[in-house]
Amino acid sequence: GEDVEQSLFLSVREGDSSVINCTYTDSSSTYLYWYKQEPGAGLQLLTYIFSNMDMKQDQRLTVLLNKKDKHLSLRIADTQTGDSAIYFCAETPSGSGGGADGLTFGKGTHLIIQP
Amino acid sequence: DTEVTQTPKHLVMGMTNKKSLKCEQHMGHRAMYWYKQKAKKPPELMFVYSYEKLSINESVPSRFSPECPNSSLLNLHLHALQPEDSALYLCASSQDVLYNEQFFGPGTRLTVL
């Protein structure tokens, strides 16, 4: 079955880089996603990576994918107080042809910013 | 318009009430989803609609009844809910079920008394 694992908390100082890690078990996942959820709000799609890519960069965000180890990471450069949120890693279950089975989410990592 | 909107933002209901949650998108997406999120937990998939037809029902109790009147709207009808159904209900949409870049609405915070 599918399982997505994340650390529950990450604390960083403002201005430093944050690296949020995720491991997944479904090796046939086509897309892997990072979502951000601020308190009391819905989920905001931050970025995604196709499984045949190793890296994707989008402004302050860098996604690294190690398909062999089934490890995904999200690096946020120059972390700001507005980055404080829960970050969910998500994958598409295998055999679903994409979204037909929805997304499988990790438990989420709470990013805490220290001044 | 790249938004998914949900109404109401908050809902408090008794166990004998009937209410509905609404979701709307105007991105031309043909797949729409309902998720339930309990506090400090990840979202859990409830239903998937593809081209206005229900394609996935993740063993959700019948007191939750989804409806997709057209390609832009998704409803979730609620009846005889239990206090443990209190949660954030999130709607999402994607281009279709082959493309899983899902866009989420802000959610409806439901409290069942």
Side-chain angles (χ1 to χ4, degrees), chain A residues 31 33 35 37 40-45 48 86 88 91-93 96-108 110, chain B residues 31 33 35 37 40-45 48 55-56 58 88 90 94 96-107 109:
Chain A
Y31 289 94
Y33 303 84
Y35 282 87
Q37 187 174 33
L43 274 72
Q44 175 193 353
L45 177 64
Y48 64 92
I86 303 174
F88 290 98
E91 66 169 351
T92 307
S96 68
D101 290 336
L103 293 167
T104 299
F105 288 88
K107 288 183 167 55
H110 292 243
Chain B
Y33 311 79
Y35 288 84
Q37 186 179 26
K40 302 188 191 305
K41 299 285 187 185
E44 294 178 345
L45 183 68
V48 179
S55 62
I56 295 284
E58 289 286 352
L88 181 68
L90 293 162
S94 64
D96 64 37
V97 292
L98 293 177
Y99 298 94
N100 213 337
E101 189 178 352
Q102 293 184 21
F103 294 86
F104 283 79
R109 176 76 57 190

Side-chain angles (χ1 to χ4, degrees), chain A residues 2-10 20-25 33-37 43 72 85-91 103-111, chain B residues 36-44:
Chain A
E2 309 93 20
D3 199 13
V4 181
E5 298 286 339
Q6 297 179 245
S7 299
L8 286 182
F9 296 98
L10 176 66
I20 303 170
N21 294 304
C22 168
T23 56
Y24 60 97
T25 55
Y33 303 84
W34 284 104
Y35 282 87
K36 175 183 180 182
Q37 187 174 33
L43 274 72
L72 182 73
I86 303 174
Y87 290 81
F88 290 98
C89 168
E91 66 169 351
L103 293 167
T104 299
F105 288 88
K107 288 183 167 55
T109 299
H110 292 243
L111 179 60
Chain B
K36 174 182 178 180
Q37 186 179 26
K38 299 283 277 183
K40 302 188 191 305
K41 299 285 187 185
E44 294 178 345

Side-chain angles (χ1 to χ4, degrees), chain B residues 78-96:
Chain B
L78 314 172
H79 174 52
L81 294 194
Q82 303 296 310
E84 59 264 27
D85 297 321
S86 298
L88 181 68
Y89 287 84
L90 293 162
C91 173
S93 71
S94 64
Q95 187 177 332
D96 64 37

